[in-house]
Every structure is written in structure tokens, then in C-alpha cells.
């Protein structure tokens, strides 16, 4: 018997028609909105160059609409108008003027004539400009302005409704993720009891969210002030109603697993993290009598729609990349050197770090490219445990590099730091953490590291460069078009728009030029689809699941931040400590704990208002503090019990592969059994210790005083 999701219509499932097509349209619309400002600016510039007439003092903006004839009279007799105004009775004066007393002064005829002459001159200028605009209203101008203004209307409508587009995308993705049991939990559902407990927990969470959203709307309606964007409130209510009905049905009619019933203890670990956060925050606000609290904090998602839409675009770009052969071709350039898995992994992570800098969050990069990194480490001979470790921390090294969006957000919220200072020191933090990973991986390798002779490797590498040249030309072409045709450079602001466009074009080029050819790596070919349409559809389907799971988690982490803020938990700790060493230790622990439970963007907002002032009050340099924060967050994302980057790794790699990785080392020593945990944790923990306490040691210990001059200063 076919399920609704499995029934097909024109070769696509019902679920694909419900989710994939609308989300694809919204992703494309987001790209149009992002590109719209660039394109419209160029359209105005082209319009000025083609239709502007400097000699006649006519500019294109004067021709963008049908000119309106001025209402003023050109045939005014100056003498008659002066006489008329001079003989006109005085009008009532303002009461405020009466406060100053005094007799009204007579009108100066000279001043009055000058005023009338100036008004007539302005009128003539208006008629003159009107006549020139009429003369320049050619058919070509009318056609061009129709195109330009129509595009502006589309772009403006998209910009004004950015929050609506984001919420619709989140609603569709969250519903799809719920239907597929793909929400992020400490362990995924596997048994019948897992699915039943998940449904109960999500029913409670959905009920609390629905109650809060309804109360929030009622409070706004009762305030007597018109509700801003009421549609958003109705969409929230509809979303949580749908999620509640889906989960209640599953509570009454539980989903059956072919793997058996399972145990209640393991079932509790499968509860989605977003449901846990929603329940904790919802119950807190209900107990405190703040019924709208949960809704207020999740609506913060709508205050930063661009950031969260950009995260969706980055995930989509990563899924598109997985469908192309470009990573295989890039790895072929390195393969002639016969590098050890550890050394090759180090080079991969260096490249991944710079890619992470454009996404702004390590979790986003793990979702977008984690599968590719895992595959390449395995293809080079690395063990499953080592590949999982590398994948989990693949995004952890690059969050401090230019042009990371998270750093931009920190600088925007904290006047004590600038992006230049943060990026400057971020590069040195990156050198520390990347070097630590290299040293750890080399010390723990089992075989002797070997590198092929350059006489053999270089010719082989050069041969593998030729298949890459067309792809390189595509990349250069896209960057060239944006930079010179649209006057837009690739940076942290434009990357979310340019990167998906680049990947779409690369994927289309790849599928068209390699049609019918065998895949370079058959073991990975099962993840790819043949044909442009199937590849884009498959990538979009993967994107929806990740968007639904991740944005649900990030949205409810905003609510958890609200609980921490309203409960004033930080008020229980001292504001000033005995020494900056003690203060730093306290701050390190709190940041790691925050990283374990909150997304980076919500955590930065919370830290800026609560913990950053404690650092400044204890004479900790603001740049030093925020560098520590970024590294501490990354350590928190790797730490149990949540370990969000490990959970995301498992989500993109697959539960079966992770289970296989654990089973094949269960007879080995402690480190080999838990390498996927120990390696990234040890690297980031040592890195955090150096970043947090190294500068303090240089300041306090005379033996290290020479490093004060050796270390570069941001101002230089």
C-alpha cells in the first residue's frame, strides 16, 4: 500500500510537490531579492548612460514616469501680482506670534516683488524641465523604463516580504522534517518506542508553542494598536496547529519500526532537541505568567530574516556541490602526491576553513559539505572514526577568518571591537588550532607518512589540472559578471547570493558536459543523480530536511536564551573577580556551556548583553575576550550531551555509517573506540586554553615578557 508521500504524480511524490517545488521557488526568489539591488542599480546606471542628456540637463530618473505638467501659471503679470498681494487684507496671526506682542509690520514692496519674480522663475524652470522630459519620452525610453520599473516592483515586493518568505520556508521545511522524523536529537529514532516518544514530546512542544502564539496575538489585538504583519502570526499559528495534529495522530496511531520495539531509556534520548527546548522554555513562561514569552522570542527569527535566509542558501549551495564532480576533480590534483590520510585531511580542513568563513557558522558548513569531507577522507585511506572526527570539526577552524558573518555580527553589537581587529587576531587563532590538529593527527597516525617524489607527482598533478580548467573558467566568469557587470564583489555580504548561483551554473555545466560518462568515484555516485533537473531536485530535497531540522533548533535556542535572560541567571555570579585569571576561567566555562545548547547567532546576542560587560570590568581585552568566545563556542558544539556538530555529522553521513564505524573498532583500545570524539575535543580544548590564558600569561609572567613585542598588534 502506498503512503501519501510515496504516491507519484508526474514522476514526483506528493511530498515533493508539497515541499520541494515551493522551497525551490522561495530559494530562487531569495536569490532574486539578493541580486535585485545589484541589478536594479545597474539598470539605473544603464538608463542614465543611454537616455540621459547632460546638454539638456535631463537625467534618467526624470523619465521613469510620465511627466506631469506643472500647475503654476507662466503668464503672471509681475506688477499686477505685486499690487494684488500688497492690497490683500492681513491674515490672522498665529497665537504664538501674539505672545511676543508688537504691531504688525508693513509689507516691503521690494521684498514682495523679489518674491513674486523668484516664484515666476521657479515656475518657468518647472515648465522648461517638463517640456524637456516630454521631448525625451521616446518609444525606447518607455520600453526600457517599463522593464526597469517592473523589475524594481518585483525586487521591492520581495524585499518588503522577506520575513514572510523566510517563515513560509521554515513552515514547509519544519513540516516536512517532522513527517520524515528528521529532527535533530541526541540519537535518531530507530525503534517503535523511539518514534512514539518523539511524537509525544513534539505534541507537548507544539501545544505550548501554539498556546503562546495565540496568546501573543490576542495581547496585540487587545492593546488597541493595529497589529503589524498579522499574516506572520497566522502562519505561526497554522504551523504549530499542523505539527500538533501530525504528532497527535502518531501518538494515537504510532509508527511501527521494522527494527522492533526498543527500550524506554533509549527512546528518551531520541527526543528532538527543539522539542526539549520548547518544553523547558514554554513551561517556564507559563509558570511565570508570561504566556506570550515563547512566541515573542521565536519571533526574533523575523527580526533577522536575511541571516537565516542566507543560512538556507548556504545549505542549498552545499547540497548542489555534492551533486557535481568538482570536488573529485580537485582531489585528483592532490592524489599524485600519495599523501597520508592525516596530511591530506589537514589540507582538506585548511580549505574547509576558508569556505566556513563565508558561511559564518560551523554547523552550517558541516551540513553543507560534511558528506563530501567524510567521503574524501575515507577515499584517501582514513578510518571511519578519523573521517567522522575530521567531519565534525571541519567547520570549527574557520569561524575566526575573514569574512565570517558571525564576526561582523559581534562587531555590530559591541562598539569595543572592530572587524579589522577581530579578523587580524582571528588569523593567528586559526594558525594555532589548525597546527594543533596537524600535530595531533601526525602523532596518532599508525603508518609512516610518505610523499611521492616531485618528479612523479608534479607531472601527474599537472595532467589532472586540465579537467578543472573549464570549471575554473565558470567560477571566474561568474565572479567577473558580478564584479564588473553588477559592480558587486564577492564578500561576506554578497557570498550567500553569489555562491548558490555559482554552484547552480557549475552543476548545470557539469551535468551537460559529462552526460553519460562514468563517475570518478563509484562509491559516492549513489548520492548523485543523472540530469540537471533530478540533481537540483535531489539537492533541494536534502536542503529542506536540513533547513527544517537546523532552523527549528536555532529558533527554539532563541527562546532558551530568553529564559536565561529573564531568569537573570548571570546575576547569581560576581561581576568583578579577584583576578582576571579567575574571571577568564569563569567566562570560558560559561561560553562552553552556552555553546552546548545555543546556536552561535543567538548566543552572541545573549553574551553581548550579559557576559561581555563582566569581561570588560575585569580588564580583559575585548578582542581577546571575543576570540576566546568563538573558540569556546566551537568546543561546546563538540561536547556531549548535545554535541551539535557531532549530531549534524551523523545526520549528513547517516546513522548506518556511524554505527558501522563504532562496531569495527569495538575490540580496539579506548582511543580508537572513541577517536571521533577525543580527537576534535582535545584539539579544540588545547586551542581554547592557549587562546584564553596565553595572553594573560604573557602579561603577568616576566619570563614571557619578550612575547609582548613579538606578538603583532591589531593597530599595526
Amino acid at each position: 500500500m502506498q503512503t501519501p508521500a510515496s504516491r507519484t504524480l508526474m514522476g514526483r511524490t506528493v511530498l515533493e510537490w508539497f515541499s520541494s517545488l515551493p522551497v525551490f521557488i522561495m530559494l530562487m526568489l531569495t536569490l532574486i531579492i539578493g541580486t535585485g539591488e545589484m541589478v536594479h542599480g545597474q539598470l539605473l546606471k544603464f538608463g542614465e548612460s543611454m537616455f540621459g542628456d547632460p546638454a539638456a540637463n535631463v537625467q534618467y530618473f526624470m523619465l521613469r514616469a510620465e511627466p506631469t505638467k506643472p500647475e503654476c501659471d507662466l503668464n503672471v503679470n509681475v506688477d499686477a501680482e505685486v499690487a494684488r498681494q500688497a492690497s490683500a487684507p492681513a491674515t490672522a496671526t498665529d497665537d504664538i506670534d501674539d505672545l511676543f506682542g508688537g504691531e504688525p509690520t508693513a509689507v516691503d514692496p521690494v521684498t514682495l516683488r523679489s518674491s513674486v519674480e523668484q516664484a515666476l522663475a521657479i515656475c518657468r524652470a518647472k515648465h522648461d524641465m517638463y517640456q524637456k522630459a516630454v521631448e525625451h519620452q521616446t518609444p525606447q525610453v518607455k520600453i526600457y523604463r517599463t522593464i526597469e520599473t517592473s523589475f524594481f516592483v518585483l525586487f521591492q515586493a520581495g524585499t518588503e516580504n522577506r520575513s514572510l518568505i523566510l517563515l513560509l520556508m521554515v513552515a514547509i521545511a519544519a513540516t516536512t522534517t517532522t513527517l520524515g522524523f528528521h529532527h535533530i536529537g541526541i540519537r535518531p529514532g530507530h525503534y517503535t518506542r523511539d518514534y512514539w516518544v518523539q511524537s509525544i514530546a513534539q505534541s507537548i512542544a507544539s501545544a505550548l508553542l501554539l498556546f503562546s502564539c495565540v496568546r501573543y496575538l490576542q495581547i496585540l489585538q487587545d492593546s488597541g494598536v493595529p497589529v503589524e504583519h498579522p499574516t506572520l502570526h497566522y502562519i505561526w499559528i497554522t504551523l504549530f496547529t499542523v505539527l500538533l495534529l501530525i504528532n497527535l495522530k502518531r501518538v494515537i496511531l504510532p509508527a511501527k519500526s521494522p527494527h522492533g520495539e526498543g527500550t524506554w531509556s533509549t527512546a528518551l534520548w531520541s527526543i528532538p532537541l527543539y522539542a526539549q527546548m520548547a518544553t523547558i522554555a514554554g513551561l517556564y513562561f507559563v509558570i511565570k505568567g508570561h504566556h506570550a514569552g515563547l512566541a515573542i522570542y521565536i519571533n526574533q527569527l523575523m527580526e533577522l530574516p536575511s541571516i537565516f535566509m542566507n543560512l538556507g542558501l548556504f545549505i542549498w549551495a552545499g547540497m548542489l556541490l555534492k551533486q557535481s564532480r568538482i570536488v573529485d576533480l580537485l582531489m585528483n590534483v592532490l592524489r599524485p602526491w600519495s599523501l597520508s590520510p592525516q596530511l591530506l585531511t589537514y589540507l582538506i580542513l585548511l580549505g574547509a576553513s576558508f569556505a566556513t568563513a563565508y558561511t559564518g557558522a560551523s554547523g552550517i558548513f558541516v551540513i553543507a559539505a560534511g558528506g563530501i569531507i567524510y567521503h574524501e577522507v575515507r577515499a584517501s585511506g582514513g578510518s571511519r572514526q578519523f573521517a567522522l572526527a575530521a567531519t565534525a570539526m571541519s567547520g570549527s577552524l574557520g569561524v575566526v577568518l575573514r569574512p565570517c558573518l558571525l564576526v561582523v555580527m559581534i562587531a555590530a553589537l559591541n562598539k569595543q571591537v572592530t572587524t579589522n581587529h577581530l579578523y587580524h587576531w582571528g588569523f593567528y587563532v586559526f594558525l594555532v588550532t589548525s597546527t594543533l590538529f596537524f600535530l595531533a593527527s601526525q602523532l596518532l597516525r599508525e603508518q609512516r607518512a610518505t610523499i611521492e617524489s616531485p618528479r612523479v607527482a608534479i607531472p601527474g598533478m599537472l595532467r589532472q589540472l586540465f579537467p578543472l580548467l573549464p570549471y575554473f573558467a565558470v567560477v571566474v566568469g561568474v565572479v567577473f559578471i558580478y564584479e564588473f557587470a553588477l559592480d558587486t564583489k564577492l564578500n561576506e555580504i554578497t557570498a550567500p547570493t553569489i555562491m548558490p548561483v555559482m554552484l547552480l551554473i557549475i552543476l548545470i555545466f557539469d551535468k551537460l558536459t559529462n552526460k553519460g560518462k562514468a563517475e570518478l568515484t563509484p562509491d559516492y555516485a549513489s548520492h548523485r543523480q543523472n540530469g540537471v533537473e533530478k540533481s537540483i531536485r535531489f539537492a533541494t530535497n536534502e536542503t529542506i530536511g536540513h533547513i527544517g531540522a537546523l532552523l527549528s533548533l536555532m529558533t527554539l535556542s532563541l527562546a532558551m536564551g530568553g529564559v536565561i535572560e529573564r531568569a537573570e541567571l548571570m546575576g547569581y555570579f560576581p561581576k568583578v573577580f579577584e583576578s582576571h585569571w579567575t574571571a577568564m576561567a569563569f567566562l570560558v566555562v560559561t561560553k562552553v556551556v552556552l555553546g552546548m545548547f545555543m546556536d552561535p547567532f543567538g548566543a552572541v546576542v545573549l553574551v553581548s548583553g550579559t557576559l561581555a560587560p563582566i569581561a570588560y570590568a575585569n580588564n580583559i581585552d575585548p578582542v581577546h575576550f571575543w576570540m576566546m568566545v568563538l573558540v569556546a563556542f566551537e568546543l561546546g558544539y563538540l561536547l556531549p550531551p548535545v554535541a551539535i556538530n557531532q549530531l549534524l555529522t551523523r545526520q549528513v553521513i547517516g546513522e548506518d555509517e556511524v554505527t558501522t564505524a563504532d562496531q569495527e573498532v569495538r575490540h580496539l583500545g579506548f582511543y580508537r573506540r572513541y577517536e571521533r570524539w577525543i580527537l576534535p575535543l582535545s584539539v579544540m580544548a588545547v586551542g581554547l586554553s592557549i587562546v584564553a590564558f596565553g595572553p594573560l600569561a604573557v602579561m603577568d609572567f616576566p619570563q614571557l615578557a619578550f612575547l609582548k613585542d613579538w606578538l603583532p598588534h591589531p593597530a599595526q
Side-chain angles (χ1 to χ4, degrees):
M1 179 179 178
Q2 286 185 318
T3 63
S6 65
R7 298 191 186 103
T8 59
L9 180 64
M10 298 176 61
R12 295 163 182 78
T13 65
V14 174
L15 191 58
E16 283 183 321
W17 283 109
F18 164 76
S19 60
S20 298
L21 183 60
V23 170
F24 174 77
I25 293 173
M26 283 184 279
L27 288 170
M28 291 300 299
L29 184 57
T30 304
L31 289 179
I32 293 173
I33 295 172
T35 310
E37 187 174 357
M38 314 171 195
V39 174
H40 187 251
Q42 294 304 107
L43 287 175
L44 291 176
K45 186 182 295 184
F46 293 152
E48 185 62 38
S49 63
M50 290 187 295
F51 305 113
D53 187 355
N57 200 25
V58 174
Q59 300 181 21
Y60 172 69
F61 78 88
M62 300 164 55
L63 310 176
R64 294 182 70 229
E66 284 294 332
T68 302
K69 187 175 182 179
E71 297 180 355
C72 60
D73 187 5
L74 274 176
N75 302 313
V76 172
N77 185 301
V78 175
D79 294 330
E81 181 63 18
V82 169
R84 186 188 68 79
Q85 293 189 23
S87 61
T91 58
T93 58
D94 196 324
D95 291 339
I96 296 178
D97 294 333
D98 294 339
L99 294 175
F100 298 95
E103 296 294 329
T105 58
V107 178
D108 182 8
V110 176
T111 302
L112 184 58
R113 175 176 287 276
S114 175
S115 175
V116 172
E117 290 175 345
Q118 288 179 7
L120 182 59
I122 292 173
C123 181
R124 288 171 179 166
K126 288 181 178 180
H127 279 271
D128 182 56
M129 295 305 300
Y130 166 75
Q131 190 61 37
K132 291 178 180 178
V134 170
E135 294 172 356
H136 285 76
Q137 290 291 330
T138 63
Q140 294 85 352
V141 168
K142 294 181 179 180
I143 293 174
Y144 185 85
R145 81 181 182 201
T146 300
I147 297 173
E148 179 262 312
T149 53
S150 299
F151 185 86
F152 175 73
V153 170
L154 175 64
F155 157 65
Q156 187 180 39
T159 302
E160 292 176 350
N161 294 283
R162 197 186 296 264
S163 296
L164 177 62
I165 296 171
L166 171 63
L167 186 53
L168 287 173
M169 187 187 303
V170 170
I172 294 173
T175 304
T176 306
T177 304
T178 301
L179 289 170
F181 290 103
H182 291 152
H183 280 292
I184 300 170
I186 294 180
R187 59 176 296 275
H190 194 65
Y191 302 103
T192 298
R193 285 177 177 171
D194 295 345
Y195 298 135
W196 193 62
V197 170
Q198 284 184 6
S199 299
I200 293 175
Q202 291 187 80
S203 297
I204 297 172
S206 300
L208 288 169
L209 286 163
L210 176 60
F211 169 73
S212 184
C213 288
V214 171
R215 287 292 297 128
Y216 186 32
L217 181 58
Q218 290 175 345
I219 292 171
L220 292 176
Q221 291 174 337
D222 294 342
S223 66
V225 179
V227 179
E228 292 186 6
H229 310 297
T231 304
L232 299 181
H233 295 279
Y234 293 125
I235 293 176
W236 280 119
I237 292 172
T238 303
L239 168 61
F240 296 128
T241 301
V242 170
L243 295 183
L244 178 59
L245 293 175
I246 291 172
N247 287 292
L248 285 177
K249 178 185 176 183
R250 287 175 170 173
V251 172
I252 300 170
L253 302 172
K256 298 296 182 181
S257 170
H259 304 288
E261 291 293 318
T263 63
W264 292 113
S265 59
T266 56
L268 293 174
W269 290 99
S270 67
I271 296 176
L273 295 178
Y274 95 89
Q276 297 181 36
M277 293 180 175
T279 302
I280 294 171
L283 291 177
Y284 171 83
F285 288 122
V286 169
I287 292 172
K288 293 294 184 180
H290 187 29
H291 297 166
L294 197 56
I296 289 172
Y297 282 100
I298 67 170
N299 268 282
Q300 289 183 358
L301 187 76
M302 300 296 99
E303 296 179 8
L304 299 170
S306 297
I307 290 178
F308 293 101
M309 289 174 72
N310 290 346
L311 297 183
L313 288 174
F314 278 125
I315 294 174
W316 192 38
M319 298 303 106
L320 292 171
L321 179 63
K322 286 173 60 177
Q323 291 298 308
S324 75
R325 295 154 39 106
I326 190 169
V327 175
D328 295 323
L329 296 172
L330 285 168
M331 295 306 300
N332 279 348
V333 176
L334 295 176
R335 289 186 178 112
W337 290 95
S338 300
L339 301 174
S340 67
Q342 290 77 17
L343 183 55
L344 183 62
T345 301
Y346 173 66
L347 296 178
I348 292 174
L349 290 188
L350 289 182
S353 299
F354 289 94
T356 304
Y358 280 93
T359 65
S362 59
I364 302 300
F365 185 80
V366 171
I367 288 177
I372 297 173
I373 291 175
Y374 178 83
H375 160 71
E376 293 303 335
V377 175
R378 289 285 293 136
S380 69
S383 67
R384 283 186 171 87
Q385 287 283 325
F386 181 73
L388 288 171
T391 303
M393 69 173 300
S394 58
S396 298
L397 305 182
V399 294
V400 291
L401 294 176
R402 186 184 298 272
C404 177
L405 191 60
L406 195 58
V407 173
V408 176
M409 187 173 181
I410 290 172
L413 294 174
N414 298 269
K415 297 180 180 179
Q416 295 85 355
V417 294
T418 64
T419 54
N420 285 337
H421 286 180
L422 292 172
Y423 287 138
H424 172 90
W425 285 105
F427 178 75
Y428 292 97
V429 172
F430 164 73
L431 290 181
V432 170
T433 53
S434 60
T435 302
L436 285 172
F437 177 83
F438 173 75
L439 294 175
S441 63
Q442 294 303 304
L443 290 172
L444 296 170
R445 72 175 187 270
E446 295 180 334
Q447 69 272 25
R448 180 175 177 270
T450 58
I451 299 179
E452 184 60 78
S453 168
R455 287 185 296 178
V456 176
I458 292 177
M461 183 180 70
L462 293 176
R463 284 193 297 271
Q464 296 298 333
L465 279 174
F466 286 103
L468 265 174
L469 293 180
Y471 295 89
F472 179 74
V474 171
V475 172
V476 172
V478 172
V479 174
F480 179 86
I481 290 173
Y482 271 94
E483 184 163 350
F484 294 97
L486 300 179
D487 195 23
T488 303
K489 292 186 177 181
L490 179 62
N491 54 36
E492 68 272 20
I493 306 300
T494 61
T497 299
I498 297 178
M499 296 302 292
V501 172
M502 187 183 295
L503 267 300
L504 271 173
I505 296 175
I506 286 175
L507 179 60
I508 294 171
F509 173 81
D510 179 72
K511 295 300 178 181
L512 293 179
T513 56
N514 293 280
K515 188 174 183 180
K517 296 183 181 179
E519 290 286 350
L520 300 178
T521 51
D523 62 326
Y524 194 59
S526 60
H527 296 278
R528 300 201 180 109
Q529 302 297 307
N530 294 320
V532 174
E533 189 271 339
K534 286 186 177 180
S535 297
I536 294 176
R537 176 153 50 96
F538 189 83
T540 305
N541 288 339
E542 286 191 301
T543 301
I544 292 169
H546 294 312
I547 288 177
L550 188 62
L551 287 187
S552 295
L553 184 60
M554 296 178 76
T555 302
L556 270 302
S557 72
L558 293 172
M560 286 300 297
V563 171
I564 295 173
E565 182 181 10
R566 292 185 66 88
E568 298 181 349
L569 296 180
M570 296 307 162
Y572 294 101
F573 300 99
K575 298 295 186 294
V576 179
F577 292 80
E578 294 181 359
S579 72
H580 53 197
W581 288 83
T582 308
M584 180 60 77
F586 164 76
L587 293 170
V588 165
V589 173
T590 54
K591 300 306 176 297
V592 172
V593 172
L594 280 178
M596 292 167 58
F597 297 101
M598 291 191 67
D599 76 278
F601 296 98
V604 163
V605 174
L606 179 63
V607 169
S608 297
T610 57
L611 294 171
I614 296 178
Y616 307 153
N618 286 273
N619 297 320
I620 296 175
D621 183 82
V623 176
H624 176 201
F625 168 74
W626 283 107
M627 286 293 101
M628 179 276 293
V629 169
L630 291 174
V631 181
F633 282 171
E634 294 305 319
L635 177 59
Y637 303 149
L638 296 167
L639 270 173
V642 178
I644 185 64
N645 281 4
Q646 290 281 5
L647 295 181
L648 295 176
T649 296
R650 188 175 64 196
Q651 189 177 40
V652 298
I653 301 303
E655 181 66 20
D656 292 340
E657 186 71 9
V658 176
T659 302
T660 301
D662 290 338
Q663 289 177 346
E664 68 182 10
V665 295
R666 64 172 180 255
H667 62 284
L668 300 179
F670 179 80
Y671 174 77
R672 294 303 174 190
R673 293 202 309 271
Y674 301 102
E675 182 178 12
R676 67 186 178 96
W677 293 95
I678 296 174
L679 179 57
L681 283 176
S682 59
V683 169
M684 296 309 298
V686 174
L688 176 59
S689 299
I690 294 173
V691 171
F693 300 106
L696 299 184
V698 171
M699 288 191 297
D700 292 355
F701 299 151
Q703 298 87 342
L704 301 176
F706 67 95
L707 293 176
K708 292 182 180 179
D709 297 328
W710 180 79
L711 290 174
H713 297 283
Q716 291 181 348

